[in-house]
Amino acid sequence: MQNQLVIYNTLTRTKEKFEPLNKGLVGLYVCGPTVYSDVHLGNCRTFISFDLIYRYLLLLGFKVRYVRNITDAGHLEGDRDEGEDKFAKKAKLEQLEPMEIVQKYTLGFHDVMREFNNLPPSIEPTATGHICEQIEMVKKIISNGYAYEVNGTVYFDVEKYNKEFPYGQLTNRQLEDLIANTRELSGQDEKHGRLDFALWIKAKPEQIMRWPSPWGWGFPGWHIECSAMSSKYLGDTFDIHGGGMDLQATHHTNEIAQSQACNHKAPVKYWMHTNMLTVNGVRMSKTAGNGFLPGELFTGNHPLLEKGYSPMAVRFFMMQTHYRSTLDFSNDALQASEKGYARLAAAVKTAENLKTSATSTSNIQELEKNCFDAMNDDFNAPILVSHLFEGARIINSVNDGKETISEADLVLLKKLMHDFVFDVLGLKSEISNTSSDNALQGVMEIILEIRKEIKSKKDFAASDKLRDNLNKINITIKDTKDGAVWSLTAGE
Ligand code: AMP
Ligand code: ZN
C-alpha cells in the first residue's frame, strides 16, 4: 500500500505521488517551537498534525529520521530584522537568564507533547548548539556571492538571488509584487534591498546570547538555523519539510533561498504546511492574546471554556479536520469529540470479547482498504475517522447479535482498529483500568456529593475550603451549570 501515498506539495501546488529520495530512510524536518513562552493550542495543532504524518509513514513501513528543532536564539520581535531579541526581552521581564527562559519553556513544551501523546522526534537540535554550522553556511553564502556584510551584520541579497532562482516560488509570487508590498528602506537601513534579510546579526553590547564570528560578536538570524540543521542531519536535499502555513512567506521562502545559495541544490522535495487553529475565526497566536494554554484546556480554567477537556478528546477533535483546512475552536465541537472518542475507545475494548461465526456480514477487507485509501490521500484523517466509526458500528452490531463476523475477519478488524486508532491517530485509552483510578473516581463522587450538601446549607466558607484543599493536592473542582466536575490539574 506504500506506493499509493499521495502528498500535497506546497511548492508545486499539486498532489504528488510520494517517492522518497532514498528508499532506506525518509527525511522529515519540522520547524519546532520558539521557546521564549508556553506553546498554545495552535502550535500544538501543527505538532500534532506532523505527529500524525510521522506515525502514518511509520505504519507504511518507512524508516523515518524526524528532525524537529528548538529555536532558542536569534528571534527578533519584528519579521524584518527589527525589534528586541525575544529571549532577552522575556529574560528581563521574568528576571531570569535567557538560557533559564529556554530551559523553562523547553521542559514545558516536552510535557505538553507527552500529554498529547506525540512521539518524540529522532533528533531535536537547538539553534544555540549549531552556531558553528550556521557561521559556516553564512561564510559559504557570502563566498558564493549572495550575501554581504554591513557593520557586523550579514544580509542575504534577495534581488541578486532572484536573477537566477525564483525567490517567491513557495507562495507563487513575483519579486516585484513582494517588493511592492514591503515598506521602503529608510536612510538608517543597512540593507541594500527591501527584501534582504539578516543571516547574522551584530549583538548589542549588553546582549548575553552572542557568539564570536568573522563579522564580530553576534547571533544568527532566525531562518539560517533551519537551513543549517536540516542539511546537517538530513542532507542538502531531503524529502519532507513542514511547518504552519504562517511560515511559508518568510521563514520557508528564506530557507529555500539560503540553502540553494549555499549548496546549489533545492533543499526539499515535498513542502507541507498545516493550516491554522482559529478562535471565533481569528488565528490563535501569542500576540493576539487568544491562545489557550494546554493546561488551561485540560482544567477548563479559561473564560472561553465551559469545562476541562482531556488531552485525547482534544487530539481527537484535531483529527476530525484535515490538516490543510482551518480548524475553529468551539466547546460544542470538543464535547462532540469527547463523546465520539469514548465511543471509539469503547468499541476497541468490546472487540476483545466478540464471539465469532462461520461467516461475516460485513466486508472487513474493504474497510481496511478504505482506511488506507483515506490516509494515502494526503493524510485525510477525518475520512479515516468516519471509516473507524463504521468499524465501531460493526463491532457493536456483532456484540448485539445483529451481525456476525468470522474468526479471520475479527483478527483483521481488531488489528486495523488498533493500528489506526492508537498507532496512526495516536490516541491512547483514557478509560481507567486500575483499581486506584476507580477508587479515586468513587472517592471524588462522594466528596462532590458532600460539598453539594454543604452548599445547599449555604455554608460557602466550608465548601470553598474543601475546594481549596483539593486544589492544593492538584485536584481542580469546577462548578458548571450541570453541577461540579473534577479533574487532575495538568502538568503537575
Ligand atoms: P512558533 O513557536 O511561534 O515559532 O510556532 C511553532 C509552530 O506553530 C510553527 O510551525 C507555526 O507555524 C505553528 N503555529 C503558530 N500558530 C498557529 C495556529 N494558530 N495554528 C496552527 N499552527 C500554528
Ligand atoms: Zn524553521
Side-chain angles (χ1 to χ4, degrees), residues 1-42:
M1 311 229 182
Q2 290 190 10
N3 298 333
Q4 297 148 21
L5 174 63
V6 160
I7 295 182
Y8 180 85
N9 189 347
T10 316
L11 194 64
T12 56
R13 285 167 285 283
T14 50
K15 282 188 185 174
E16 293 174 17
K17 203 169 158 201
F18 180 59
E19 275 161 352
L21 295 159
N22 166 358
K23 289 223 159 32
L25 183 68
V26 172
L28 168 64
Y29 187 95
V30 174
C31 290
T34 309
V35 286
Y36 73 97
S37 65
D38 288 309
V39 281
H40 55 66
L41 198 65

Coordinates of all heavy atoms in Angstrom, one line a residue, residues 1-42:
M1 N 0.8 -1.2 0.0 CA 0.0 0.0 0.0 C 0.9 1.3 0.0 O 0.4 2.3 -0.2 CB -0.9 0.0 1.2 CG -1.6 -1.3 1.5 SD -3.3 -1.0 1.8 CE -3.8 -2.7 2.1
Q2 N 2.2 1.1 0.2 CA 3.1 2.2 0.3 C 3.1 3.1 -0.9 O 3.1 4.3 -0.8 CB 4.5 1.7 0.5 CG 4.8 1.1 1.8 CD 6.3 0.8 2.0 OE1 7.1 1.3 1.2 NE2 6.6 0.1 3.0
N3 N 3.1 2.4 -2.1 CA 3.3 3.2 -3.3 C 2.2 4.2 -3.6 O 2.3 5.0 -4.4 CB 3.4 2.2 -4.5 CG 4.6 1.3 -4.3 OD1 5.5 1.7 -3.6 ND2 4.6 0.1 -4.8
Q4 N 1.1 4.0 -2.9 CA -0.1 4.8 -3.3 C -0.2 6.1 -2.5 O -1.1 6.9 -2.7 CB -1.4 4.0 -3.1 CG -1.5 2.8 -4.0 CD -2.2 1.7 -3.3 OE1 -3.0 1.9 -2.4 NE2 -2.0 0.5 -3.8
L5 N 0.8 6.4 -1.6 CA 0.7 7.6 -0.8 C 0.9 8.8 -1.7 O 1.8 8.9 -2.5 CB 1.7 7.6 0.3 CG 1.8 8.9 1.1 CD1 0.5 9.2 1.9 CD2 3.0 8.8 2.1
V6 N -0.1 9.8 -1.5 CA 0.0 11.0 -2.3 C 0.0 12.2 -1.3 O -0.7 12.2 -0.3 CB -1.3 11.1 -3.2 CG1 -1.6 12.5 -3.6 CG2 -1.2 10.1 -4.4
I7 N 0.9 13.1 -1.6 CA 1.1 14.3 -0.7 C 0.9 15.6 -1.4 O 1.4 15.7 -2.6 CB 2.5 14.3 -0.1 CG1 2.8 13.0 0.8 CG2 2.8 15.5 0.7 CD1 4.2 13.0 1.4
Y8 N 0.2 16.5 -0.8 CA 0.0 17.8 -1.4 C 1.3 18.6 -1.2 O 1.7 18.8 0.0 CB -1.2 18.6 -0.8 CG -1.3 19.9 -1.4 CD1 -2.0 20.1 -2.6 CD2 -0.8 21.1 -0.9 CE1 -2.2 21.3 -3.2 CE2 -0.9 22.3 -1.4 CZ -1.6 22.4 -2.6 OH -1.7 23.7 -3.2
N9 N 2.0 19.0 -2.3 CA 3.2 19.7 -2.2 C 3.0 21.2 -2.4 O 2.5 21.6 -3.4 CB 4.2 19.2 -3.3 CG 5.6 19.7 -3.1 OD1 5.8 20.6 -2.3 ND2 6.5 19.1 -3.9
T10 N 3.3 22.0 -1.3 CA 3.0 23.4 -1.4 C 3.8 24.1 -2.6 O 3.4 25.0 -3.2 CB 3.4 24.1 -0.1 OG1 3.0 23.4 1.0 CG2 2.9 25.5 0.0
L11 N 5.0 23.5 -2.8 CA 5.9 24.1 -3.8 C 5.3 24.0 -5.2 O 5.4 24.9 -6.0 CB 7.2 23.3 -3.8 CG 8.4 24.0 -4.5 CD1 8.8 25.3 -3.8 CD2 9.6 23.0 -4.4
T12 N 4.6 22.8 -5.5 CA 4.1 22.7 -6.9 C 2.6 22.9 -6.9 O 2.0 22.9 -8.0 CB 4.4 21.2 -7.4 OG1 3.8 20.3 -6.4 CG2 5.9 21.0 -7.5
R13 N 2.0 23.1 -5.7 CA 0.6 23.3 -5.6 C -0.2 22.1 -6.2 O -1.3 22.3 -6.7 CB 0.1 24.6 -6.2 CG 0.5 25.8 -5.3 CD 0.4 27.1 -6.0 NE 1.5 27.3 -6.9 CZ 2.7 27.6 -6.5 NH1 3.0 27.8 -5.3 NH2 3.7 27.8 -7.5
T14 N 0.3 20.9 -6.1 CA -0.4 19.7 -6.6 C -0.2 18.6 -5.7 O 0.7 18.6 -4.9 CB 0.1 19.3 -8.0 OG1 1.5 19.2 -7.9 CG2 -0.3 20.2 -9.1
K15 N -1.1 17.6 -5.8 CA -0.9 16.3 -5.0 C 0.1 15.5 -5.8 O -0.1 15.3 -7.1 CB -2.2 15.6 -4.9 CG -3.1 16.2 -3.8 CD -4.3 15.3 -3.5 CE -5.2 15.9 -2.6 NZ -6.5 15.1 -2.4
E16 N 1.1 15.0 -5.2 CA 2.1 14.2 -5.9 C 2.3 12.9 -5.2 O 2.2 12.7 -4.0 CB 3.5 14.9 -5.8 CG 3.6 16.2 -6.6 CD 4.9 16.9 -6.4 OE1 5.9 16.3 -5.9 OE2 4.9 18.1 -6.7
K17 N 2.6 11.9 -6.0 CA 2.9 10.5 -5.5 C 4.1 10.6 -4.7 O 5.1 11.3 -5.1 CB 3.1 9.6 -6.7 CG 2.9 8.2 -6.4 CD 2.9 7.4 -7.7 CE 3.2 6.0 -7.3 NZ 3.7 5.1 -8.3
F18 N 4.1 10.0 -3.5 CA 5.3 10.1 -2.6 C 6.3 9.1 -3.0 O 6.1 7.9 -2.9 CB 4.9 9.9 -1.1 CG 6.0 10.0 -0.2 CD1 6.8 11.1 -0.1 CD2 6.4 8.9 0.6 CE1 7.9 11.2 0.8 CE2 7.5 8.9 1.5 CZ 8.2 10.1 1.6
E19 N 7.4 9.6 -3.5 CA 8.6 8.8 -3.9 C 9.8 9.2 -3.1 O 10.4 10.3 -3.5 CB 8.8 8.8 -5.4 CG 7.9 7.8 -6.1 CD 7.7 8.1 -7.6 OE1 8.2 9.2 -8.0 OE2 7.1 7.3 -8.2
P20 N 10.2 8.6 -2.0 CA 11.3 9.0 -1.2 C 12.6 9.1 -2.0 O 12.8 8.2 -2.9 CB 11.3 8.1 0.0 CG 10.5 6.9 -0.4 CD 9.6 7.3 -1.5
L21 N 13.4 10.0 -1.7 CA 14.7 10.2 -2.4 C 15.6 8.9 -2.1 O 16.3 8.5 -3.0 CB 15.5 11.4 -1.8 CG 14.7 12.7 -2.1 CD1 15.2 13.8 -1.2 CD2 15.0 13.1 -3.6
N22 N 15.5 8.4 -0.9 CA 16.3 7.3 -0.5 C 15.4 6.3 0.2 O 14.8 6.6 1.2 CB 17.4 7.8 0.5 CG 18.1 6.7 1.2 OD1 17.8 5.5 1.0 ND2 19.0 7.1 2.0
K23 N 15.2 5.1 -0.5 CA 14.2 4.2 0.0 C 14.4 3.7 1.4 O 13.5 3.4 2.2 CB 14.1 3.0 -0.9 CG 13.5 3.3 -2.3 CD 12.5 2.2 -2.7 CE 11.5 2.7 -3.8 NZ 11.9 3.7 -4.7
G24 N 15.7 3.7 1.8 CA 16.1 3.2 3.1 C 15.7 4.2 4.3 O 15.5 3.8 5.4
L25 N 15.6 5.5 4.0 CA 15.4 6.5 5.1 C 14.7 7.7 4.6 O 15.2 8.4 3.7 CB 16.8 6.8 5.7 CG 16.7 7.8 6.9 CD1 16.1 7.1 8.1 CD2 18.1 8.3 7.2
V26 N 13.5 8.0 5.2 CA 12.8 9.2 4.8 C 13.3 10.3 5.7 O 13.3 10.2 6.9 CB 11.3 9.0 4.9 CG1 10.5 10.3 4.7 CG2 10.8 8.0 3.9
G27 N 13.6 11.5 5.1 CA 14.0 12.7 6.0 C 12.8 13.6 6.2 O 12.1 14.0 5.2
L28 N 12.5 13.9 7.4 CA 11.3 14.7 7.7 C 11.8 15.8 8.7 O 12.3 15.5 9.8 CB 10.2 13.9 8.4 CG 9.0 14.7 9.1 CD1 8.2 15.5 8.0 CD2 8.1 13.7 9.8
Y29 N 11.7 17.1 8.3 CA 12.1 18.2 9.1 C 10.9 19.1 9.4 O 10.2 19.5 8.5 CB 13.2 19.0 8.4 CG 13.8 20.1 9.3 CD1 14.9 19.9 10.0 CD2 13.1 21.4 9.4 CE1 15.5 20.9 10.9 CE2 13.7 22.3 10.3 CZ 14.8 22.1 11.0 OH 15.4 23.0 11.8
V30 N 10.6 19.4 10.7 CA 9.5 20.3 11.0 C 10.0 21.4 11.9 O 10.8 21.1 12.8 CB 8.4 19.5 11.8 CG1 7.3 20.4 12.3 CG2 7.8 18.4 10.9
C31 N 9.7 22.6 11.6 CA 10.1 23.8 12.4 C 9.4 23.7 13.7 O 8.2 23.6 13.9 CB 9.7 25.1 11.7 SG 10.7 25.4 10.2
G32 N 10.3 23.7 14.8 CA 9.8 23.5 16.1 C 9.4 24.8 16.8 O 9.4 25.9 16.1
P33 N 9.3 24.8 18.1 CA 8.8 26.0 18.8 C 9.9 27.0 19.1 O 11.1 26.6 19.1 CB 8.3 25.4 20.1 CG 9.2 24.2 20.4 CD 9.4 23.6 19.0
T34 N 9.6 28.2 19.2 CA 10.5 29.2 19.7 C 10.2 29.3 21.2 O 9.2 29.7 21.7 CB 10.2 30.6 19.1 OG1 10.1 30.4 17.7 CG2 11.2 31.6 19.4
V35 N 11.2 28.9 22.0 CA 11.0 28.6 23.4 C 11.2 29.8 24.3 O 12.0 29.7 25.3 CB 11.8 27.3 23.9 CG1 11.2 26.1 23.4 CG2 13.2 27.5 23.5
Y36 N 10.5 30.9 24.0 CA 10.5 32.0 25.0 C 9.2 32.2 25.7 O 9.1 33.1 26.5 CB 10.9 33.3 24.2 CG 9.8 33.9 23.3 CD1 8.9 34.9 23.8 CD2 9.5 33.3 22.1 CE1 7.9 35.3 23.0 CE2 8.5 33.8 21.3 CZ 7.7 34.8 21.8 OH 6.7 35.2 21.0
S37 N 8.2 31.3 25.4 CA 7.0 31.3 26.1 C 6.3 30.0 26.0 O 6.8 29.1 25.2 CB 6.1 32.4 25.6 OG 5.7 32.1 24.3
D38 N 5.2 29.8 26.7 CA 4.5 28.5 26.6 C 3.9 28.3 25.2 O 3.5 29.3 24.6 CB 3.3 28.5 27.6 CG 3.7 28.4 29.0 OD1 4.5 27.5 29.3 OD2 3.3 29.2 29.8
V39 N 3.8 27.1 24.7 CA 3.2 26.8 23.5 C 1.6 26.9 23.7 O 1.2 26.5 24.8 CB 3.5 25.4 22.8 CG1 4.8 25.4 22.2 CG2 3.4 24.3 23.9
H40 N 0.9 27.4 22.7 CA -0.5 27.5 22.8 C -1.1 26.3 22.0 O -0.4 25.6 21.3 CB -1.1 28.9 22.5 CG -0.7 29.3 21.1 ND1 -1.1 28.7 19.9 CD2 0.1 30.4 20.7 CE1 -0.6 29.3 18.9 NE2 0.1 30.3 19.3
L41 N -2.4 26.2 22.0 CA -3.1 25.1 21.3 C -2.9 25.1 19.8 O -2.8 24.1 19.2 CB -4.6 25.1 21.7 CG -5.3 23.8 21.4 CD1 -4.7 22.7 22.3 CD2 -6.8 23.9 21.6
G42 N -2.7 26.4 19.3 CA -2.4 26.5 17.8 C -1.1 25.8 17.5 O -1.0 25.0 16.5

